[in-house]
Amino acid sequence: MRAITLVPGKAGTLRLDEVEEPGAAQGSVLVRALALGVCGTDHELAEGAYGEAPSGRERLIIGHESLGRVMEAPAGGELAVGDLVVGIVRHPDPVPCVNCALGEWDMCRNGMYTERGIKQADGFSAEHWRSDPGFTVKVNPALGLVAVLLEPASVLAKAWEHIERIGRRSRWAPRRVLVTGAGPVGLMAALIGVQRGLEVHVFDPNESGPKPELVRALGAKFHPRFPTFEPDVVVECTGAPGVIVQAVTGSAPGSIVCLTGLGGGSHAASFDVATLNQSMVLENRVVFGSVNANVRHYGAAAEALAGADRAWLERVITRKVPLSRWQDAYERRDDDVKTVLVFED
């Protein structure tokens, strides 16, 4: 079968390979790939920034934003042949740590987790892949191709869950939310905020292309320049140091800032730690980071997508690339929001 592979840590090694069919040891659920979302993590892997191949292997099958159809599944289980499914990315460490032992592998304490298509486990950019039932999420067939957005939506479902948990430390009645970045992650953050009945604002310096209208179509307000108001909640999705500084220092007293973006290490930003400390202590601000997701977050994300306007979700996917032109999917283009690799040529 065909799969997209690379040598982790080595730029210029991305290629379409012929690889062996996945063995039963990789999971009792056999899935035929339908689509694969391409994101910044995939670009960074292709550029050699990070990644780890499975033990004893040089190459890694990449891809972590999956969508497929079940070909084989254990009898009597929740999954059946023909079901539309998404594979969970992170798997618990083998020790396991206290969080992994409780099914909270997204909060792994010792760093020994694996991540499909990223760290020590093959991903979903293969024509067929396997998964265990507990790491395979059944999705509503009515979603069709847009179900490929489930993985990025799950990351934001977790972020919002943690925001609300922290908010309950006091009487908390947030009204205004600022999302920084109008890429797929930022748009999912905005979608979930709108679904919670909040006043959502999105900052992104890109005034051209589809992003401004996608934000407005949600009922949110688009800002090409960083807004001057003080939001109650900030969901930071760019990873840009300068934006993070503005997000933290410009938030309201008692606010919560959730960092979800990862920026390159080459960008420097000055930060007055003493002033930050004073503002956080005296005004009860909270800043925290959030990444990845576990099963309940995938479930919450599925509910968010099911409750969204299907036509809007389809517009988030700005490019569909067949496997025969797979290189095009990994090109960065100015007007891209979400690029999806489609396996049914």
Side-chain angles (χ1 to χ4, degrees):
M1 67 174 184
R2 294 174 295 175
I4 299 171
T5 74
L6 53 70
V7 178
K10 189 174 181 180
T13 60
L14 192 68
R15 73 188 187 199
L16 184 65
D17 271 339
E18 286 288 336
V19 300
E20 294 183 359
E21 291 280 342
Q26 297 181 40
S28 57
V29 181
L30 178 63
V31 179
R32 175 169 57 87
L34 298 178
L36 183 83
V38 178
C39 75
T41 297
D42 298 302
H43 289 295
E44 290 163 3
L45 285 163
E47 292 161 2
Y50 50 80
E52 295 180 52
S55 179
R57 293 245 308 275
E58 179 187 36
R59 302 190 71 86
L60 169 73
I61 297 175
I62 67 166
H64 58 281
E65 298 183 6
S66 64
L67 179 65
R69 195 171 301 281
V70 174
M71 299 172 66
E72 297 175 6
E78 295 183 3
L79 297 174
V81 173
D83 283 345
L84 201 64
V85 294
V86 166
I88 289 178
V89 177
R90 185 173 288 193
H91 288 221
D93 70 73
V95 174
C97 73
V98 62
N99 285 334
C100 286
L102 295 172
E104 303 278 349
W105 53 80
D106 55 308
M107 302 294 289
C108 183
R109 297 291 295 274
N110 61 21
M112 293 173 64
Y113 60 84
T114 60
E115 288 181 329
R116 300 202 58 167
I118 303 171
K119 181 177 183 283
Q120 299 176 346
D122 282 330
F124 304 109
S125 67
E127 292 180 293
H128 299 152
W129 46 269
R130 284 187 176 271
S131 181
D132 289 324
F135 291 86
T136 312
V137 182
K138 182 178 177 179
V139 296
N140 188 333
L143 287 173
L145 182 67
V146 299
V148 78
L149 298 171
L150 185 63
E151 192 279 334
S154 73
V155 174
L156 276 305
K158 173 189 173 178
W160 272 104
E161 176 194 276
H162 285 216
I163 288 167
E164 290 167 345
R165 284 186 180 182
I166 294 168
R168 289 195 292 270
R169 65 191 174 140
S170 64
R171 185 186 181 280
W172 193 59
R175 180 176 67 87
R176 186 179 289 166
V177 177
L178 175 63
V179 176
T180 56
V185 172
L187 290 171
M188 293 300 105
L191 168 66
I192 296 173
V194 169
Q195 289 179 336
R196 280 160 165 71
L198 299 168
E199 177 189 316
V200 178
H201 299 254
V202 179
F203 161 69
D204 192 293
N206 189 349
E207 296 184 69
S208 62
K211 292 179 180 180
E213 181 52 36
L214 282 167
V215 170
R216 296 184 186 111
L218 269 180
K221 185 172 181 180
F222 181 83
H223 299 265
R225 284 163 289 282
F226 203 91
T228 56
F229 63 81
E230 294 185 332
D232 304 306
V233 175
V234 180
V235 186
E236 205 299 302
C237 304
T238 70
V243 177
I244 294 170
V245 171
Q246 289 178 290
V248 174
T249 58
S251 60
S255 62
I256 298 172
V257 179
C258 175
L259 308 179
T260 69
L262 289 172
S266 60
H267 303 287
S270 60
F271 210 101
D272 187 338
V273 176
T275 299
L276 172 67
N277 176 72
Q278 186 176 44
S279 69
M280 290 182 68
V281 171
L282 295 180
E283 297 185 336
N284 290 300
R285 289 185 175 97
V286 173
V287 180
F288 78 100
S290 182
V291 70
N292 220 278
N294 65 45
V295 172
R296 72 174 180 277
H297 304 128
Y298 278 81
E303 291 180 7
L305 294 183
D309 176 27
R310 169 71 181 272
W312 182 83
L313 292 171
E314 290 174 347
R315 289 167 59 195
V316 172
I317 300 174
T318 46
R319 277 203 296 145
K320 302 172 188 176
V321 181
L323 185 61
S324 59
R325 298 205 317 270
W326 66 272
Q327 297 99 325
D328 293 349
Y330 294 91
E331 292 179 357
R332 296 181 188 267
R333 298 186 182 178
D334 291 341
D335 286 346
D336 281 344
V337 178
K338 172 56 68 179
T339 299
V340 172
L341 189 70
V342 180
F343 283 79
E344 292 183 328
D345 294 82

